[in-house]
Amino acid sequence: GENVEQHPSTLSVQEGDSAVIKCTYSDSASNYFPWYKQELGKGPQLIIDIRSNVGEKKDQRIAVTLNKTAKHFSLHITETQPEDSAVYFCAARLAYSGAGSYQLTFGKGTKLSVIP
Amino acid sequence: DSGVTQTPKHLITATGQRVTLRCSPRSGDLSVYWYQQSLDQGLQFLIHYYNGEERAKGNILERFSAQQFPDLHSELNLSSLELGDSALYFCASSVATGTGELFFGEGSRLTVL
């Protein structure tokens, strides 16, 4: 099955600096890579995703890059703010072929702390 | 608010007991997924149901079982509880299977004493 490794497990940055979280996946058949943000006491919430036919995607201060050859993808947060403090999870899912189950396989998470 | 409702939010019980966690998916979502979140293991996939049928099992113990009812709500049953079963249990739903975003509930925190 798919295996997703995520680094670092904790990350502290000064407000206004950038933060980068990296993930690698094992199954080359995966084609969907979402990132989820989990705030304290809440469930994970999708913040951005990328599919394998795209190398980069941006949404305001958040961007995700994908290198299919190397099987890794990264989350970039620029101009970090205190409200960005949370646990971030990367995930991967196999390409859909019309049958079976396509659950997300998650990394173990990165606790991001933005210091004011 | 994701639209996914989980009850109870907190549950404290003793070893050897049995509990049932309930999940109501977003309106119109046919797929329900259960995940276990512990401190050092992240989000571990347990089981997936689609429109009442089991689609896949992940790292789910034999002491655990689940079902999805005709109204699409789902229940996760945990029996013969052990200390190590203490965790956050999340339910997530999606419109279909294999595509689209997963919407997570706020979780049920289980503490086994």
Side-chain angles (χ1 to χ4, degrees):
Chain A
E2 176 64 278
N3 182 53
V4 177
E5 300 282 340
Q6 182 172 348
H7 300 279
S9 56
T10 60
L11 180 60
S12 291
V13 300
Q14 290 292 135
E15 182 178 356
D17 287 350
S18 295
V20 180
I21 303 170
K22 299 181 178 182
C23 289
T24 60
Y25 61 98
S26 61
D27 196 330
S28 57
S30 290
N31 76 338
Y32 175 65
F33 308 94
W35 286 87
Y36 281 78
K37 176 183 181 181
Q38 185 178 20
E39 297 177 340
L40 198 61
K42 302 285 188 182
Q45 184 174 11
L46 179 72
I47 55 171
I48 195 167
D49 57 12
I50 191 167
R51 298 185 187 276
S52 60
N53 58 345
V54 175
E56 183 176 3
K57 184 176 179 180
K58 288 184 180 180
D59 183 3
Q60 299 182 343
R61 296 186 297 109
I62 293 173
V64 57
T65 59
L66 171 65
N67 183 328
K68 282 217 61 162
T69 303
K71 289 192 281 189
H72 66 71
F73 56 114
S74 300
L75 177 71
H76 304 254
I77 306 174
T78 59
E79 301 173 14
T80 53
Q81 301 168 2
E83 51 265 39
D84 294 329
S85 296
V87 178
Y88 292 81
F89 291 95
C90 63
R93 185 169 65 201
L94 296 176
Y96 183 62
S97 63
S101 177
Y102 296 84
Q103 71 274 10
L104 291 174
T105 299
F106 286 86
K108 291 191 177 182
T110 297
K111 183 177 181 180
L112 174 64
S113 299
V114 179
I115 304 164
Chain B
D1 183 3
S2 67
V4 178
T5 303
Q6 288 189 248
T7 57
K9 291 192 184 302
H10 301 277
L11 191 55
I12 301 174
T13 189
T15 55
Q17 296 298 304
R18 172 189 170 95
V19 299
T20 297
L21 309 180
R22 182 188 169 101
C23 169
S24 294
R26 291 189 324 153
S27 177
D29 284 0
L30 300 178
S31 267
V32 170
Y33 302 80
W34 286 97
Y35 283 84
Q36 179 191 57
Q37 185 177 40
S38 53
L39 276 176
D40 59 346
Q41 291 298 318
L43 286 159
Q44 295 286 310
F45 169 68
L46 295 179
I47 198 163
H48 169 212
Y49 277 84
Y50 176 75
N51 202 20
E53 294 185 0
E54 181 185 304
R55 280 297 183 96
K57 280 186 174 180
N59 300 318
I60 188 166
L61 300 171
E62 286 191 9
R63 300 183 286 107
F64 296 179
S65 65
Q67 52 184 330
Q68 186 179 28
F69 295 86
D71 66 353
L72 301 177
H73 91 271
S74 178
E75 292 181 357
L76 179 67
N77 301 296
L78 316 175
S79 62
S80 302
L81 286 168
E82 301 175 359
L83 297 178
D85 297 328
S86 296
L88 259 174
Y89 291 85
F90 284 104
C91 165
S93 73
S94 66
V95 170
T97 180
T99 61
E101 177 180 352
L102 285 192
F103 294 86
F104 282 81
E106 295 197 341
S108 292
R109 179 172 293 281
L110 172 66
T111 302
V112 182
L113 300 176

